[in-house]
Amino acid sequence: MEAARVGLYLRLSRDDGADSQESMSIGNQRAFLLRYAEECGWSAVEIYIDDGYTGTNFQRPDFQRMIEDIEQKKIDTVLTKDLSRLGRDQIGTLYYLQVYFPSKGVRYIAVSEGIDTALGGGSITTPFLAAANDFYTADISRKVRAALDIRKQNGLFIGAAAPLGYQKDPESKGHLLPDLQTAWIVRRIFQDYLCHGSVAGAAKRMTESGVPTPAVCKGKGGRGARFAGVWSDTTVRRILTNPTYAGHLTQNRRRKIGYKVNSSRLLPEKEWITVPNTHEPLVNQEDFDRVQELLRIHSYRSGRGEEHLLTGLAYCADCGAPMTYVRESPGRTYMVCQGYRKGGRLKLCTSHSVREDLVLESLCQQLRLLVQPIKEEELGWPGPRDAEQARLARQGKLLERQIEECRQVSASLYRDKATGVLEEDEFAELFTENRGRRACLERQRENCRQRSESETEEEWRQRVRQILRFESLERGVLTELVEKVLIHEDKEIEVQFRFCKPE
């Protein structure tokens, strides 16, 4: 009779609980199974160990290696201490026990429970044992989730990796600290959106400027990673809506569908767990609140992807529908009631058609009239902002160090190419990647330098005069001043401001 080719399978994870860690330890399982095999006159061909892997799925490294060995007929007998070591998922466990092992001619034995497929797959209680193991994992999952929720409610960060712009505090578990290497990215996203009012536009500008994405910052954007350096609208919106960046730790924005399923779902805002004032903010509360207000405004982008200054601000005065844009010719665009365009033959509204440039000029005129009574000498100069200057100085020094690292990398690449360590194509790819990173860092340094230069009182007053002339409009200024622009059927333009008009 041919000797059995035996494989021992050992598994341990946190699912097993603190009380059973000692009895279920990998060492104890190995000793127990080797002793059993020796009593049966068998010797182990291979030992498979998954230490720290859950039993709720079977995508474990050594379990899969065992399956490969079964397919290659290297083993024909599998031993585990008990059925829960094989797995804690009822459906999967019974599949291997009742279908896979028998179909491959493999004998499976769970020693402690007397389950042996050579004797008919165990007793009638085997399915109930598998179900009990499954229920145990479900109970552990509920307890772990409850414990984590308590930590969240206490304002402690529990994620595996800190959000972009932050790092875990090495001296205080659960506390976040700003990450000087990535905090500027978050600030730039908020500043861009406040200036332009477009999520898609912010994503496009971040990509064009070579700003590293969260995936790249976490080291997941190497060669072969698809679209690793491309900012998506979803990523930008997720950052803009996260109160964590205003200093209020927010967790529970996503939740796994179940303990057996790896995918997760977004949760509504009412289910988020937010604890105020837990760490240093990256954006001030006023800017964060303004961004949330702008995001709530209905936005419209034409099929050509054009951005319009009055997007989300202009509405039909009669039906309340947003005004959409129709380009008649290059340089001439009309604003048209969306209710009219969608209503079609129902005639829900009239077109309210008006030229976009005329609306903008009317808005400029009204703003100029409002600021006429303002006397320049009454405007108090805010003075230099010492805290901001110090932050920019720190950021500038960090950027200098990163640029110097890029120079050193370039020199190292040339040396590796000269000594034959790198092939020509490898050198070209790595050199181009490093050069792009350096160019991005140098742009950031220049921007930091310009912002850090102290503005004199005269320069500040000159900038204020230019704004108050309203010779041109900026999206950021508009969203700060204008609540809504209403277009009447007779082309009358009514502006509702975000402030009370002076008497």
Side-chain angles (χ1 to χ4, degrees), residues 83 94 97-98 113-115 121-133:
L83 191 61
L94 292 178
L97 185 69
Q98 298 176 346
E113 294 156 344
I115 297 173
S123 69
I124 195 172
T125 61
T126 300
F128 295 100
L129 282 173
N133 290 331

Side-chain angles (χ1 to χ4, degrees), residues 241-273:
T241 56
N242 192 347
T244 296
Y245 294 118
H248 317 305
L249 184 61
T250 301
Q251 301 178 96
N252 218 50
R253 300 182 78 193
R254 303 183 70 93
R255 172 155 285 181
K256 287 186 66 175
I257 295 173
Y259 69 95
K260 295 182 182 180
V261 185
N262 285 328
S263 59
S264 59
R265 64 182 178 89
L266 290 171
L267 295 178
E269 188 173 345
K270 64 182 180 181
E271 294 186 36
W272 296 358
I273 297 178

Side-chain angles (χ1 to χ4, degrees), residues 35-98:
R35 185 167 58 251
Y36 177 84
E38 183 181 356
E39 291 172 356
C40 294
W42 300 330
S43 60
V45 173
E46 187 62 83
I47 299 178
Y48 307 92
I49 302 174
D50 281 320
D51 194 358
Y53 287 88
T54 180
T56 57
N57 69 68
F58 293 87
Q59 300 306 310
R60 311 168 216 142
D62 255 28
F63 184 86
Q64 291 302 315
R65 185 168 68 89
M66 182 179 73
I67 295 300
E68 290 176 7
D69 286 353
I70 289 174
E71 294 290 337
Q72 296 174 16
K73 302 188 183 304
K74 292 182 179 180
I75 60 172
D76 57 18
T77 303
V78 174
L79 303 183
T80 64
K81 187 175 186 295
D82 56 46
L83 191 61
S84 69
R85 299 307 91 203
L86 183 68
R88 288 191 180 276
D89 173 60
Q90 180 184 12
I91 297 173
T93 300
L94 292 178
Y95 163 74
Y96 282 103
L97 185 69
Q98 298 176 346

